[in-house]
Amino acid sequence: MAHSHLIALFLLISCTLPALYASDGDADPIYKGCVEQCEKTGCVGDKCFQHCNFSSDGKPIDGPWYLQEPLYLRWKQWDCSSDCRYHCMLAREGEREKVGDKPVKYHGKWPFRRVYGIQEPVAVALSALNLSIQFHGWMSFFILLYYKLPLRPDKKTYYEYTGLWHIYGILAMNSWFWSAVFHSRDVELTEKLDCSSAVALLGFNFILAILRAFSVRDEAARVMVAAPLIAFVTTHILYLNFYKLDHGLNMKVCLAMGVAQLLIWAIWAGVTRHPSRWKLWLVVVGEGLAMLLQIYDFPPYRGFVDAHALYHAANIPLTYLWWSFIRDDSEFRTTALLKKPK
């Protein structure tokens, strides 16, 4: 779980940082003048946009309805303003490159190149790959428990944390799904869904860290631990979605939960005699190194691959290793329970 809570934390950071910092690019007077001119004329250089002939409410100004933006682009909300910003950004970055200047951020983001309307295609592809690795790990865990390990007479598993890991798998896949959607198109709705799914995963990971590290097996005790944390996380998500998307508060809350569970797992890995504890340490160290990619932010190579995309790539082998630890843990606990005298 040290791996999974760090994933949730950095998925959260990815949706928070753009809103926390102002950018040099959108303050550039040449860029601002280009955007203003584009919104009036509908053109950036020789490239013009048909949908700039429509008002903000979607009504045609000088053309019939069938000349409006295609449905798949309207779904992504690529309107006249966003297209003007995008192409002015590319034009300005081309000018900066000619005089040897380094890329700068625009509206909190590096100058990425779109592919078929997708804002960050490499990050989307890697998020989808992480989703598939999570699904593979979850299914291999399911097959091990129900088809390879012995079951109780009532067909339930001996492993006490089966249900919790199933919930974790679903929440992790949900988080990577919305990460892919968010990197496809960053708008208010996708930002809220990405942040909410990351907070939900992080909160559940905190609960799971406590239950597994302290070997809480009694159902009543589990409810006593989980109920207040579930109530807190649910209230926090509702606050972000329906009252105020406060990125500063959100970061403080999630850092507190993340650091707390990291300490729990680090201490447990140090004192336990679990035969696969080396996998836990390897994942923690690997995530620590991958964290440097989040700290050392750099502009995207050729407009596609940045530090955050590389972080997504680093998570792929770590996720595979983490599910291997989960499977080992289920075997370890099942074997221990079967050896107990009846």
Side-chain angles (χ1 to χ4, degrees):
M1 284 308 306
H3 166 62
S4 56
H5 92 264
L6 285 170
I7 288 177
L9 187 58
F10 288 112
L11 286 173
L12 180 71
I13 290 174
S14 72
C15 73
T16 301
L17 287 180
L20 291 178
Y21 301 104
S23 305
D24 293 332
D26 44 271
D28 184 345
I30 298 177
Y31 166 79
K32 292 170 68 175
C34 174
V35 173
E36 290 175 3
Q37 184 66 20
C38 174
E39 290 179 344
K40 293 177 181 177
T41 64
C43 298
V44 176
D46 297 330
K47 188 174 183 62
C48 297
F49 318 113
Q50 180 64 46
H51 51 281
C52 281
N53 293 326
F54 294 84
S55 60
S56 58
D57 61 2
K59 294 181 179 179
I61 295 175
D62 57 359
W65 64 269
Y66 53 80
L67 289 179
Q68 293 187 37
E69 195 68 355
L71 180 60
Y72 79 96
L73 287 178
R74 278 187 280 138
W75 176 77
K76 288 180 174 293
Q77 296 186 29
W78 289 121
D79 54 14
C80 179
S81 177
S82 58
D83 263 352
C84 285
R85 286 184 177 187
Y86 172 71
H87 288 283
C88 283
M89 175 190 72
L90 293 184
R92 184 67 183 114
E93 282 303 303
E95 295 170 357
R96 291 175 59 84
E97 185 178 2
K98 288 178 182 178
V99 297
D101 290 340
K102 295 182 179 179
V104 294
K105 290 185 177 181
Y106 296 80
H107 306 284
K109 285 185 171 290
W110 288 113
F112 287 95
R113 291 185 175 274
R114 298 189 326 213
V115 176
Y116 295 110
I118 297 175
Q119 198 164 351
E120 300 176 40
V122 174
V124 171
L126 291 172
S127 293
L129 190 53
N130 272 286
L131 170 60
S132 66
I133 295 296
Q134 288 283 358
F135 179 74
H136 174 270
W138 180 47
M139 287 303 299
S140 63
F141 173 69
F142 180 88
I143 292 170
L144 173 68
L145 283 175
Y146 292 98
Y147 294 97
K148 295 182 179 179
L149 293 178
L151 297 172
R152 296 179 186 272
D154 58 0
K155 300 301 180 181
K156 293 183 179 180
T157 64
Y158 282 93
Y159 187 48
E160 311 98 318
Y161 305 96
T162 299
L164 295 174
W165 287 119
H166 284 325
I167 296 172
Y168 157 72
I170 293 170
L171 289 176
M173 288 185 288
N174 176 70
S175 188
W176 280 115
F177 172 79
W178 289 117
S179 172
V181 173
F182 172 69
H183 288 297
S184 173
R185 181 66 173 105
D186 176 9
V187 294
E188 183 180 2
L189 177 61
T190 59
E191 181 184 17
K192 286 183 176 180
L193 290 169
D194 182 41
C195 288
S196 297
S197 61
V199 171
L201 177 60
L202 188 62
F204 183 78
N205 291 344
F206 188 22
I207 296 170
L208 189 46
I210 296 172
L211 299 183
R212 182 63 189 93
F214 291 96
S215 298
V216 181
R217 303 186 186 96
D218 181 71
E219 289 298 326
R222 288 185 175 185
V223 171
M224 291 178 65
V225 171
L229 291 173
I230 291 174
F232 173 77
V233 171
T234 302
T235 302
H236 182 61
I237 291 174
L238 291 173
Y239 176 87
L240 294 176
N241 281 274
F242 299 107
Y243 183 72
K244 182 182 179 182
L245 188 58
D246 189 333
H247 294 287
L249 173 65
N250 193 35
M251 183 59 67
K252 291 175 184 177
V253 169
C254 293
L255 280 175
M257 290 194 295
V259 170
Q261 59 191 278
L262 178 61
L263 289 174
I264 292 172
W265 283 109
I267 294 171
W268 183 72
V271 301
T272 186
R273 295 183 179 180
H274 199 290
S276 295
R277 61 185 178 276
W278 66 270
K279 292 183 179 180
L280 177 59
W281 280 116
L282 189 59
V283 169
V284 171
V285 171
E287 281 291 338
L289 295 175
M291 188 188 308
L292 298 176
L293 292 171
Q294 294 293 99
I295 298 172
Y296 179 64
D297 193 18
F298 55 83
Y301 177 71
R302 295 188 179 276
F304 294 107
V305 182
D306 68 335
H308 188 67
L310 292 179
Y311 173 77
H312 281 0
N315 270 304
I316 294 170
L318 293 175
T319 298
Y320 184 86
L321 183 63
W322 183 244
W323 275 108
S324 175
F325 170 77
I326 297 171
R327 291 192 298 270
D328 291 348
D329 188 50
S330 65
E331 291 187 73
F332 173 67
R333 287 299 307 156
T334 300
T335 302
L337 289 171
L338 290 173
K339 285 182 178 179
K340 281 186 177 181
K342 297 182 180 179

